[in-house]
Every structure is written in structure tokens, then in C-alpha cells.
Amino acid sequence: MIARTGACVAVALLAGCGGAGGPTPSSDLAGGIDAVFADLDRPGSPGAAVSVIRDGEIIHSRGYGYAQIEHGVPVTPRTVFHVASVSKQFTAMAVTMLAAEGALSLDDPVQAHLEFVPGFEHPVTVRQMIHHTSGIRDQWQLLGISGWRLDDVITTEQILRLMSRQRELNFVPGSEYLYSNMGYTLLARTAVAVGGTSFPEFTSARIFRPLGMDRTHFHDDHEHIVPDRAYSYRPVPTGDDESGEGSGAAPQPEYTKAVLSYANAGATSLFTTADDLARWLDNFRHETVGGPQVMEMMTTRGVLNSGDTIPYAHGLSIGDHRGLRTIGHGGADAGFRTQAIWYPEANVGVVVLTNVANGNPGGRARQVAEIVLADAFPEGAPEEEEDDPSADADSEAPPPPDRATLAGYAGSYYSPELDALYHLEVGEDGLVARHIRHGDIALEPRAADEFATDRWFMREIRFERAPDGAVTEMRVGGGRVRNLLFVKLTRPLPR
């Protein structure tokens, strides 16, 4: 039986908004949590699902807004969300379980299990991929540079072919922490190679079914029909009211579909519900799946070659909220924004899943935790504050290169690692990079032989010269890809 109040949907097996099988939360707790999601609790809005577990009991479980705006389908506690990078802890769990069983070592080189991974100058280990210290370039940014859109159908096989062509790393493995989705796709394939079954089958048999997560699976087939799934949305940007006549009420936001067609798993693509994720969080308390050894490994933070400890463990960020330790992870793909946080000192877990790009699940999850744990935070613990970075000092922009200098950059540039081609030309407003899918990309000068763009996948471009001064190479990067080589062809190809 489902009871509906406006766009809010709650399991009605209990009074209030408690989840099935859990104690009824107080009206103050339920009302306080409802207020956190009030902006989504209305007709025509994307929504959110929240689940709170304490000492093994789900004490609050509720949906707000709509899972499918087009069809008027509301979010309920049983709505299935794509949870993006929240997936990574399950990929890490699969590999960690295999390591604890002696089927592999976390210090194995990745090539010991995946022969298609190139032999880099410096070896990369399974542990370094878990901790994002491998130096392996990020798959999404590589795909972007090569011409893909993230709403394309992107399969595991396509990502692995991309990996097989890589010849350089971002940095010496173990020397830095830099998030890499590619590393987690490779971890999933390592589990497949060692475990002897598909990744969805392995994780379902070893993790999800034992924990009663019966609405959870890794989604590696974009054509797979999933009942009760949520779709994702983005708010449509709105301009100021130009009429000069205010209505007296804030306008209702409008939304557009944020298409997601991934057919790959490991770094992402876990499909699950808020209640199922709450059951997983409670495993940090009772350790039924994995046992104490594996769960201790899961929360062990990575260590760099320098001896410095990073805040990232096994697909989990280890942090602090007003003096209480936290274990969790967030996720963002298309319009999905998700967060799962475990408070080990209080045996409390909070899950917030949203299907709108401005859903702010991290902030909402902390607000929910402050309601549930109002008396649990250490006395005198400071309120969380947003980072307030100081403004960068003003710097004088370099003089723009003259057209003769810009002409020296013009030509066709090819990446052997991506099999991708860009044509650089001098336009009326300066240097332009042209790509068959991305169109024209303006290059803004930043320093000698250095340019920037407004595209997320290639923020930085640096040109390199031969001893005679001729431009011979273009290095592309910024973000999670560094110094990707494009060779300047001796004769520009026709566009």
C-alpha cells in the first residue's frame, strides 16, 4: 500500500514516513527531514529518495518529487536510481574480497590480470587503481577529447579498447592522488578475470543478495528494462524577468531531460534504491559480508610514495562532519546526483538519491544527519562552513600572439592514443581548433605556446617546438588527463 501526500510518497506500513519494517520516526524528525526536501516536493519536479538507518533499523524512508516527469511517476522508497560514483565502493569491495581470499594481491601489476593493458614505463598496481594513485588517465575525459559525447552509448568494450592504446600515464604511480574512472573500470574487469563470472553476477551473488539488496544490480546493458527506474533531468536556465512586472512569486523551474545511456560498469552504473544502499551502509556495523578483515581493508586510506596519507580508501572517502567520522561517497552522472554517508561512531547511515543536476545530495544528506544526530555531535564541534578560497591575485594577461605567430600553430594534429584528429586554423578572432563532432573550439592565449579553452575535456593546450623553432606537437589536458600527445602532421589534411 502506498500513501501519497502531494508529490511526496511514503511507505504506509507505518505511521509517519518510516520505512517498512523499521520503527516509526517522531513527527519532529519526519517533519524536519521533509523540510530538507520541500523544494522538490511539488508537481512537475524531479525528486529525491532518502533513507536513514540506525542500529540496523531503517527509521526514515521517503520519496519526494517525480522519478519520471513525463509520465507523472512519483519517487517512492522503491524507486531505482543510477547512483554514478557511489558504485565505486562495490567495485573495490569485489576486488578486496578476492584479495582477502588469496585469489589476487592488491600489489599485483594490473597486467597480471588484464593483458590488454599496456606495459607503461612505471608499473601500475591494483592497489594504486583502488586509491586513484595509479596515474591512469580518466576514461570520460579521454572520450571527450577523442570526440565522444557523454550521452552517447558507451560500452565497456569501447573503454577497454581506448585503454589498450594508451602509452603514457599522468604521473609516476603512487606519487599523486588524481581521480581516475578508468582505474575503476579496470578493477571491475580484474574481478571478472579472477572471479570467473560477469561483474553483475559476481556482485549480486557475493554482495547484494546476502545483504537483501534485492533491487540492486550493476547495469552494463543500456537496453535492459528496469522497472520503477528514475530518469534524470537538468534545470533549464532562466533569464531575468524583462517585463518589469514581478508576479510576486518565484517562477517554477523548468527541466530538460539529461540522457544517460551507459553500457559499462565498475566506475559507475550501479542501479539501486535508497533503502538498499542503507542496508549496505549497515554492513560497516555488522560486517556480515566480507567480515572484519575485508571491512577494515575497505576503510584503509591510501598512502603515497612520500608516506603521506590521502583521504581516499577503497572506493570511499574518509572524512569528518562536526567532529564525527564519516565514511561515504558521492556520485554525479547526467542529471543524477547521489550521496551515501555512514557515521560509524553513531551506527547511522544516510542515503540521498536525486535525479536532478542541482539536487545537492551531499548538502541534504548532512542536513538530514544533523536532524537525526542532533545530540550525538561532540560538544563544541564547529558548524561546517563552506570553503572560502581567497581570490586569485590579478595577473597581467600576455599580449595576444600576432597572426604570423598564430599561423605557426595551424595544421592538422593527430593523437595515436585516441585515433583522433583536430585541425587548427587562424580565424578572425584568433586560433580555432576544429573537430568533426565538437565543432569549433576557440583557443585563448595564456602564455608563450600555451592556450586554454572553455571545454571541460581540454582546458589546457601546450605546443612544443623542434630545435629550429617549428611547432611539432600539441599536448592536451587539464583536469584528469595530462599532456596527451597530438603530433602535428607534415601536411594538413583536408577538412
Side-chain angles (χ1 to χ4, degrees):
M1 175 182 176
I2 299 291
R4 302 185 181 185
T5 304
C8 172
V9 180
V11 176
L13 297 174
L14 299 170
C17 287
T24 305
S26 70
S27 59
D28 287 346
L29 183 146
I33 295 175
D34 287 349
V36 174
F37 300 90
D39 60 313
L40 300 177
D41 187 17
R42 56 180 181 75
S45 172
V50 59
S51 186
V52 181
I53 194 165
R54 172 186 273 161
D55 295 322
E57 297 289 336
I58 293 178
I59 63 170
H60 187 88
S61 176
R62 193 165 188 177
Y64 306 85
Y66 286 85
Q68 297 178 23
I69 295 175
E70 303 96 308
H71 304 294
V73 178
V75 175
T76 79
R78 292 177 61 80
T79 297
V80 176
F81 287 77
H82 168 109
V83 297
S85 287
V86 172
S87 310
K88 287 184 171 67
Q89 57 202 282
F90 298 95
T91 302
M93 180 71 169
V95 174
T96 304
M97 292 171 73
L98 290 167
E101 295 163 3
L104 59 82
S105 168
L106 296 185
D107 294 313
D108 286 343
V110 62
Q111 294 88 350
H113 307 291
L114 304 177
E115 294 181 354
F116 63 85
V117 176
F120 298 107
E121 180 181 357
H122 302 279
V124 173
T125 68
V126 173
R127 190 188 306 274
Q128 289 165 342
M129 293 193 301
I130 287 173
H131 291 144
H132 296 298
T133 60
S134 68
I136 290 175
R137 290 165 171 158
D138 186 79
Q139 64 194 35
W140 307 131
Q141 194 168 351
L142 287 174
L143 287 164
I145 296 170
S146 63
W148 293 68
R149 292 167 47 114
L150 294 188
D151 55 5
D152 288 334
V153 174
I154 301 172
T155 69
T156 299
E157 291 72 22
Q158 290 162 341
I159 293 171
L160 300 185
R161 283 199 294 271
L162 187 67
M163 181 67 223
S164 71
R165 299 178 66 96
Q166 297 302 297
R167 294 296 177 266
E168 296 179 309
L169 299 170
N170 280 333
F171 49 79
V172 174
S175 65
E176 297 183 41
Y177 166 82
L178 184 64
Y179 201 86
S180 172
N181 286 284
M182 179 74 84
Y184 268 76
T185 296
L186 296 179
L187 287 170
R189 300 311 297 175
T190 300
V192 170
V194 175
T197 186
S198 75
F199 192 60
E201 289 170 349
F202 182 93
T203 49
S204 291
R206 300 292 305 275
I207 303 173
F208 305 145
R209 286 200 292 271
L211 291 175
M213 300 171 66
D214 59 358
R215 296 179 69 78
T216 299
H217 73 279
F218 268 104
H219 193 79
D220 61 356
D221 178 359
H222 67 289
E223 296 180 333
H224 178 195
I225 294 173
V226 180
D228 302 321
R229 68 178 290 182
Y231 290 97
S232 74
Y233 303 90
R234 294 188 182 96
V236 176
T238 57
D240 295 332
D241 181 7
E242 298 179 358
S243 67
E245 298 179 3
S247 65
Q252 294 295 326
E254 296 182 359
Y255 300 94
T256 186
K257 196 82 168 281
V259 176
L260 188 67
S261 300
Y262 287 170
N264 60 82
T268 183
S269 297
L270 185 74
F271 275 37
T272 188
T273 69
D275 282 358
D276 272 12
L277 274 181
R279 295 183 182 95
W280 157 254
L281 290 178
D282 197 50
N283 193 59
F284 289 98
R285 175 183 66 89
H286 56 69
E287 300 175 331
T288 299
V289 172
Q293 178 189 4
V294 167
M295 296 312 292
E296 181 179 359
M297 294 169 69
M298 284 290 292
T299 56
T300 299
R301 295 156 58 187
V303 179
L304 299 177
N305 298 340
S306 65
D308 293 338
T309 301
I310 64 173
Y312 203 87
H314 287 220
L316 295 161
S317 294
I318 310 301
D320 176 274
H321 178 194
R322 291 183 55 193
L324 291 181
R325 185 170 178 249
T326 59
I327 301 169
H329 210 288
D333 280 334
F336 292 108
R337 299 292 184 270
T338 57
Q339 184 75 49
I341 308 175
W342 176 248
Y343 293 80
E345 295 152 320
N347 284 337
V348 166
V350 179
V351 177
V352 174
L353 310 179
T354 76
N355 63 334
V356 62
N358 61 350
N360 186 24
R364 294 182 199 264
R366 288 189 292 273
Q367 287 180 271
V368 170
E370 291 179 0
I371 295 167
V372 175
L373 299 173
D375 299 325
F377 291 106
E379 186 175 352
E383 297 284 344
E384 283 205 340
E385 296 182 358
E386 296 294 328
D387 292 336
D388 184 22
S390 58
D392 294 334
D394 292 336
S395 58
E396 185 176 349
D402 57 32
R403 292 187 71 83
T405 302
L406 292 178
Y409 302 120
S412 298
Y413 292 80
Y414 175 74
S415 168
E417 297 186 31
L418 299 183
D419 193 19
L421 188 69
Y422 283 84
H423 302 280
L424 270 61
E425 300 178 7
V426 181
E428 292 184 4
D429 298 322
L431 197 61
V432 175
R434 292 186 164 133
H435 186 275
I436 192 170
R437 291 199 74 185
H438 292 317
D440 288 1
I441 302 173
L443 275 60
E444 297 292 335
R446 289 291 181 266
D449 290 337
E450 295 181 8
F451 292 77
T453 85
D454 62 357
R455 303 298 178 96
W456 67 270
F457 50 83
M458 53 187 303
R459 296 186 185 280
E460 301 171 0
I461 294 176
R462 186 183 76 254
F463 294 94
E464 297 185 354
R465 297 177 181 271
D468 64 1
V471 174
T472 58
E473 296 176 354
M474 178 174 74
R475 294 280 183 169
V476 174
R480 297 170 181 172
V481 169
R482 298 178 184 172
N483 301 318
L484 182 70
L485 174 65
F486 281 76
V487 177
K488 187 177 184 181
L489 303 181
T490 55
R491 288 191 301 173
L493 296 177
R495 291 199 304 111

